[in-house]
Amino acid sequence: LLTLRGAQCIGSGYHIPSIRGEGRTVCTNHAWGSAFRAYGAPQSEFASEVLMDMLAEKLNMDPLDLRLKMSYRKGLTTPRARFRIPSPCRKCLKNKTQI
């Protein structure tokens, strides 16, 4: 379940038309139990943000500028061809100098 949720959420905050990921599910002998609220989303979101920082560094670009450039704008679709509303974070990123 975690692998499925991670695949659905990875890169979800950014418009990345050619996104591709790989996930692996393994069985263990440990009993598991956890709250199912946002199950998988925080883990994949953390990985996405770390990758955005790494990409910004390779591009010699400010990480917040890269996030602004890649955030959803009106009319863009997700990798699963769903329309997204413009990201509310765009306004925050545009005003980053005020922070």
Side-chain angles (χ1 to χ4, degrees):
L1 184 61
L2 181 62
T3 308
L4 172 65
R5 295 292 177 243
Q8 290 174 339
C9 297
I10 193 98
S12 64
Y14 305 104
H15 179 65
I16 308 169
S18 58
I19 193 168
R20 186 172 142 180
E22 180 179 324
R24 295 177 189 228
T25 303
V26 297
C27 292
T28 66
N29 291 329
H30 298 283
W32 61 277
S34 175
F36 275 81
R37 186 178 184 145
Y39 192 67
Q43 295 89 336
S44 60
E45 220 28 65
F46 177 75
S48 296
E49 294 302 321
V50 169
L51 290 170
M52 289 298 282
D53 287 337
M54 292 170 64
L55 180 59
E57 185 177 334
K58 287 187 179 212
L59 295 171
N60 198 27
M61 190 174 187
D62 182 90
L64 295 178
D65 288 338
L66 179 62
R67 285 174 170 83
L68 177 61
K69 181 177 182 174
M70 300 303 292
S71 64
Y72 280 100
R73 294 176 295 286
K74 187 175 182 176
L76 297 178
T77 59
T78 67
R80 298 184 320 172
R82 293 194 169 102
F83 283 100
R84 287 286 305 249
I85 60 168
S87 174
C89 296
R90 289 183 62 78
K91 185 175 181 180
C92 294
L93 292 170
K94 285 179 182 178
N95 294 327
K96 70 177 181 148
T97 55
Q98 296 175 4
I99 298 173

